[in-house]
Amino acid sequence: MKNYNIFSLIRQGFAGHKDWPPAWREAEPKAAYDAVVIGGGGHGLATAYYLAKLHGMTNIAVIEKGWLGGGNSGRNTAIVRSNYLFDESAAIYNHALTLWKTLGQELNYNIMMSHRGVLNLAHDEGEARQMKRRVEANRLNGVDAEWLEPEDIKAFCPPINISDHIRYPVIGATLQRSGGVNRHDAVCWGYARAADNLGVDIIQQCEVTDILSENGQVTGVETTRGKIKTPKVACVTAGHTSVMAKMAGIRLPIESHPLQALVSEPLKPVMPCVCMSNAVHVYMSQSDKGELVIGAGIDPYLSYTQRGSMDIIEHQMASLVELFPFVSRVRMMRQWGGIVDVCPDASPIITKTPLKGFYINGGWGTGGWKATPGSGHAFADLVANDEPNAIAAPFTMERFVTGALVAEHGAAAVAH
Ligand code: FAD
Ligand code: PYC
């Protein structure tokens, strides 16, 4: 592994950052691989890294149509938490949270993981009852969770408005102290560099245009840079999961929606934690650069455009200004969108398919960032061994036939 330590940083600084070594090779596609991962977002790169590291599969490639992290991985608001309702979800999101804690050290890359705590607000009695139930369920599953009354919320998050005289008063909140935020592009780059060091070819600007098969078995992929033979294709293309599945003759119960976010001008530290509200569809944290990072619910129509509409912004800002009045004096700088693939139960799909050698990891909807390391870890196991491990098993596509759904609309927070 290349050594990137404080001394190399100082050396590079004095050298004027000339000859800074690329973090990974620009690989040319080979004619054949043991496996191809489609999608160079966090989940795809993590999958490749764990395939190489834990399963000895190093003759593999990650194929990305744009640039690494240019999809949802680079567009999300990087909130990490594991406070989902059901045991199956707690298992996978908590697995991810455990991996996040040491991922920076493992990859030798500063992913700026900050466990600053995540508040989920309740605004009426019905919501409060459901959230208190989730706190109990979380605790049974070893997820740290607390219920806070308004005065405790104010102490934890001083800029919040807990007045009774707003349209949706805050009557309580759940708090996951181990939740927080990290730096999404650093995660992608860290995984990419570590996978490259293990021999994985990372190929950008290469779009997969077809999945090739013979007699029910994958034989390769067609790409904009030629045909690549492989017996295993791992499809990790958030926002385009059903498009890719269709190439393999598979129809998925996924709806694709825009999800947008925006950031303010940079401020001095003012927002100490992440704060989310399902009811009014808004959430906010503050980045280490000082920008307020603000998001909303999905744009309700189906679309493959990576931008959102103005009325969502108007609603989210109106709600935010009530909850955090200081925001009314802050200028907003940038807005963008991603495309999120939403399953009927707001849970992901991690699955083998009727086409042997074709595996799908997608449908994470508005909440897959937090799962990145756990998802990659579990999916690599499935791809290497052709059997889902215990953590991924509840999320196969059979659940849409058997009805064993993992309905997480409440815990999926703002966006569903
Ligand atoms: P992506 O990063 O989208 O990677 C998929 C890649 O596949 C893309 O780079 C794409 O270019 C590539 N691809 C697609 N088709 C092809 C093809 N034919 N050939 C080759 N490559 C292809 N989740 C949270 O947990 N917390 C949050 O705070 C949060 N906030 C969000 C805010 C916004 C605005 C958005 C849009 C999403 C948010 N999410 C959040 C969801 C999260 O971003 C995603 O679930 C997660 O990043 C998905 O990661 P991925 O690696 O699967 O997908
Ligand atoms: O799942 O925590 C989440 C989330 C926050 C913003 C979008 N998704």
Side-chain angles (χ1 to χ4, degrees), residues 77 79 81 84 259 276 283 366-367 370 412-414:
T77 44
I79 297 173
R81 58 186 176 87
Y84 283 68
L259 178 68
M276 315 179 67
Y283 62 91
T366 58
K370 65 178 78 63
V414 288

Side-chain angles (χ1 to χ4, degrees), residues 201-271:
D201 278 359
I202 292 170
I203 302 163
Q204 301 179 76
Q205 305 293 331
C206 180
E207 180 169 355
V208 172
T209 52
D210 205 2
I211 309 295
L212 308 174
S213 63
E214 273 171 30
N215 303 322
Q217 160 71 53
V218 162
T219 55
V221 289
E222 191 66 70
T223 80
T224 46
R225 289 167 69 179
K227 191 176 290 189
I228 299 173
K229 285 192 194 161
T230 182
K232 287 182 189 245
V233 171
C235 178
V236 205
T237 55
H240 288 80
T241 315
S242 38
V243 175
M244 303 307 296
K246 193 174 173 199
M247 290 180 194
I250 297 160
R251 187 154 177 256
L252 294 175
I254 279 180
E255 289 185 351
S256 301
H257 291 268
L259 178 68
Q260 55 177 308
L262 71 155
V263 289
S264 74
E265 61 188 332
L267 306 177
K268 289 197 171 163
V270 58
M271 182 67 192

Side-chain angles (χ1 to χ4, degrees), residues 292-411:
L292 299 175
V293 182
I294 299 167
I298 47 172
D299 281 50
Y301 48 86
L302 306 181
S303 171
Y304 286 112
T305 54
Q306 286 184 313
R307 60 168 175 237
S309 46
M310 189 62 191
D311 61 320
I312 298 278
I313 300 178
E314 285 175 339
H315 278 107
Q316 93 191 84
M317 296 316 285
S319 306
L320 193 65
V321 166
E322 266 203 338
L323 285 174
F324 293 95
F326 79 92
V327 173
S328 68
R329 296 170 64 92
V330 180
R331 281 170 295 199
M332 298 300 138
M333 278 202 322
R334 292 189 307 279
Q335 174 267 0
W336 65 90
I339 310 158
V340 294
D341 285 346
V342 182
C343 286
D345 57 355
S347 284
I349 300 174
I350 307 173
T351 197
K352 299 209 275 192
T353 69
L355 178 60
K356 197 159 167 36
F358 186 70
Y359 307 89
I360 296 173
N361 180 348
W364 290 92
T366 58
W369 179 250
K370 65 178 78 63
T372 302
S375 153
H377 191 263
F379 193 45
D381 196 12
L382 167 61
V383 174
N385 300 316
D386 202 41
E387 282 304 326
N389 68 14
I391 286 178
F395 301 106
T396 65
M397 56 194 259
E398 273 80 54
R399 76 179 189 276
F400 303 114
V401 177
T402 63
L405 303 181
V406 188
E408 287 289 5
H409 292 277

Side-chain angles (χ1 to χ4, degrees), residues 3-18 20-21:
N3 192 14
Y4 293 89
N5 54 28
I6 186 70
F7 299 109
S8 76
L9 282 176
I10 292 170
R11 214 171 31 249
Q12 293 292 347
F14 280 118
H17 299 291
K18 291 198 192 93
W20 187 282

